[in-house]
């Protein structure tokens, strides 16, 4: 029997992302079904999407560059028997890749925005997407121009809402002056709390929902990491500083507090890590990158946990904001993050 996931109704400064539709407490990040973490099982991926929808997780997050279009085609296949209006599809665009999958940069010119959207609609087999967002800030294009192009597509009915990803507070405010930014997708976990200084306060001032990815630290905070330290061929984490050399062991040592609290709750470390993000506010929606149904079921179990103020303080004290060893991306990728390099 599927587990029911409650919907988040955002009130106060956050507002509601859609009306009458509200977002579920968790979203399903679909990237790993096509890209980044090594081979994925097609049938299991589709079954996981179905399990998420049956549980009330109707927010699916994808990108047109995930598997160079593969992820959008996979989602289309998974949704063929479902009503379009029962699913909220968020799409990232703008990242450029070559035939071997290497990233070449970003293109968020207005013409490129509209071109990318046309191809996305065709691959998804739909006449609109619920939310459209540039994957990164294109340094060659003013954010106002990119936002203006998406706003035109909203006016034309091809897009419902505007989102942004990995931008600074200043960029978020500039964008919101052109058109309301309904969500900001950005990395946020107990290991990555950089948004708390200026980005999260700005989002709350503007009524922008935080779509939090990386809530498990790309696996560092998960229950079964120790059993699968050897990364699969094609797993991009092998190139991330936090998973390299002594950094990996130092970072895994930080997670002990999650396992201790998990034992006290008779839950798992994965669930405690997700519960921590959920506890940071109802305007924060964790994206769960589950590729298999058992991973999804474990994540849903986090909704049964209510961490106490003592638990939250204990976690923050055991994992100081500056404690993780290594940056979250390689240096060249870090330079592409306006959230890290842009003005606050």
């Amino acid at each position: 029997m599927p587990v029911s996931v409650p919907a988040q109704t955002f009130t106060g400064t956050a507002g509601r992302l859609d009306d009458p539709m509200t977002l579920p407490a968790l979203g399903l990040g679909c990237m790993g079904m096509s890209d980044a973490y090594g081979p994925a099982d097609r049938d299991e991926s589709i079954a996981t999407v179905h399990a998420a929808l049956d549980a009330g997780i109707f927010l699916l997050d994808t990108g047109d560059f995930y598997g160079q279009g593969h992820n959008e085609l996979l989602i289309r296949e998974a949704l063929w028997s479902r009503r379009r209006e029962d699913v909220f599809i968020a799409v990232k665009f703008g990242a450029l890749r070559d035939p071997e999958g290497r990233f070449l940069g970003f293109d968020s010119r207005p013409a490129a925005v509209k071109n990318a959207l046309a191809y996305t609609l065709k691959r998804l087999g739909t006449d609109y997407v619920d939310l459209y967002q540039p994957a990164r800030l294109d340094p060659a294009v003013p954010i106002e121009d990119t936002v203006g192009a998406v706003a035109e597509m909203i006016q034309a009915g091809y897009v419902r809402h505007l989102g942004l990803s990995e931008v600074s507070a200043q960029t978020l405010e500039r964008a919101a002056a052109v058109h309301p930014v309904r969500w900001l997708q950005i990395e946020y976990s107990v290991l990555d709390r950089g948004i708390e200084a200026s980005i999260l306060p700005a989002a709350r001032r503007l009524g922008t929902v935080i779509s939090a990815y990386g809530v498990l630290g790309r696996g560092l905070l998960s229950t079964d990491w120790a059993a699968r330290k050897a990364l699969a061929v094609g797993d991009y984490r092998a190139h991330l500083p936090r998973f390299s050399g002594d950094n990996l062991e130092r970072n895994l040592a930080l997670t002990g507090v999650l396992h201790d609290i998990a034992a006290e709750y008779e839950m798992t470390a994965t669930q405690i890590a997700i519960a921590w993000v959920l506890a940071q506010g109802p305007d924060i929606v964790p994206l769960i990158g589950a590729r298999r149904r058992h991973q999804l079921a474990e994540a849903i179990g986090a909704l049964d946990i209510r961490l106490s103020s003592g638990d939250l303080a204990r976690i923050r004290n055991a994992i100081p904001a500056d404690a993780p060893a290594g940056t979250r991306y390689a240096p060249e990728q870090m330079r592409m993050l306006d959230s890290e390099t842009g003005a606050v």
Side-chain angles (χ1 to χ4, degrees), residues 184-248:
L184 170 61
Q185 187 169 112
I186 197 162
E187 190 163 1
Y188 188 46
S189 73
V190 69
L191 283 179
D192 289 289
R193 307 205 297 269
I195 72 170
E196 294 176 347
S198 63
I199 295 173
L200 181 57
R204 286 176 166 160
R205 286 196 304 272
L206 295 167
T208 299
V209 172
I210 294 295
S211 167
Y213 75 90
V215 295
L216 296 179
R218 296 183 176 82
L220 286 173
L221 303 175
S222 65
T223 304
D224 62 345
W225 177 263
R228 55 178 178 83
K229 284 185 181 180
L231 298 174
V233 175
D235 193 318
Y236 86 118
R237 288 176 295 184
H239 306 288
L240 299 182
R242 287 188 181 171
F243 292 81
S244 302
D246 294 338
N247 287 351
L248 177 59

Side-chain angles (χ1 to χ4, degrees), residues 67-121:
Q68 292 96 317
H70 176 273
N71 204 237
E72 291 178 324
L73 293 170
L74 181 74
I75 288 174
R76 176 179 183 163
E77 185 176 3
L79 298 182
W80 75 268
S81 62
R82 305 286 175 143
R83 296 195 314 165
R84 175 65 183 88
E85 59 268 29
D86 292 339
V87 184
F88 189 101
I89 304 176
V91 179
K92 287 179 289 298
F93 69 90
L96 305 176
R97 304 181 75 171
D98 69 13
E100 296 183 11
R102 293 173 295 205
F103 284 92
L104 304 174
F106 300 93
D107 188 352
S108 294
R109 294 170 299 158
V113 171
K114 298 171 185 178
N115 180 73
L117 177 60
Y119 282 80
T120 278
L121 295 174

